[in-house]
Amino acid sequence: MDTENKLCNKVEECYHIMGKKWMGLIVHTLMEEPKRFSEIHAFIPDLSKRVLNERMKELEDNGIVLRNVIADRPVRTEYSLTKKGTELGRSLKALEAWADKWL
C-alpha cells in the first residue's frame, strides 16, 4: 500500500506541474532544438510574455528546462530540455498522437 501511495503522490505532482496552462506546448516547442525566449513566444503567440517567463522559471526549477546564457555580442539566452525534459517530451508525443487521432 505504501508503494502505491508513493506512486500516486508522484503522479499527482506530475499533473500539478504539467497541468498548468501552456506547459505541454512549451515542452513541445523545445523538443527539436534549443530556442530563444522570443522563438518560444512566436510559436505560442496567445501566451503572454509574463506567463511565459513564469512557466520557464517553473520548468527550470523542476529540472525540465535548462537556461543557457551565451556570451556572444549581443548576449543571448537559449532554453533547452534537460534529459528529464526530453523524456517528458517523449511521453507527451503519445498524447499528441491521441489528440491527432481523436480530436
Side-chain angles (χ1 to χ4, degrees):
M1 181 71 177
D2 190 40
T3 304
E4 193 174 300
N5 192 34
K6 285 180 184 178
L7 176 62
C8 186
N9 290 339
K10 289 180 180 184
V11 171
E12 183 179 354
E13 180 65 18
C14 177
Y15 282 122
H16 176 73
I17 294 167
M18 293 310 296
K20 291 184 179 177
K21 192 169 185 178
W22 309 113
M23 288 296 218
L25 281 175
I26 293 169
V27 171
H28 173 81
T29 64
L30 294 171
M31 281 298 293
E32 297 299 321
E33 62 186 359
K35 290 186 177 52
R36 295 188 325 269
F37 186 92
S38 60
E39 293 173 314
I40 299 167
H41 185 259
F43 191 82
I44 315 170
D46 291 340
L47 172 58
S48 74
K49 289 181 180 180
R50 180 187 63 79
V51 174
L52 176 56
N53 190 48
E54 287 175 12
R55 296 297 183 260
M56 294 306 290
K57 285 180 182 176
E58 291 174 86
L59 288 167
E60 188 177 359
D61 290 345
N62 283 291
I64 296 168
V65 167
L66 179 66
R67 183 177 181 265
N68 184 27
V69 178
I70 300 167
D72 285 344
R73 289 192 182 221
V75 174
R76 60 193 172 124
T77 303
E78 282 188 344
Y79 297 91
S80 60
L81 294 176
T82 61
K83 182 178 179 182
K84 182 178 177 179
T86 301
E87 287 185 26
L88 175 61
R90 287 188 196 125
S91 299
L92 293 175
K93 289 285 186 188
L95 187 60
E96 290 172 24
W98 177 87
D100 187 46
K101 181 176 181 177
W102 294 102
L103 299 180

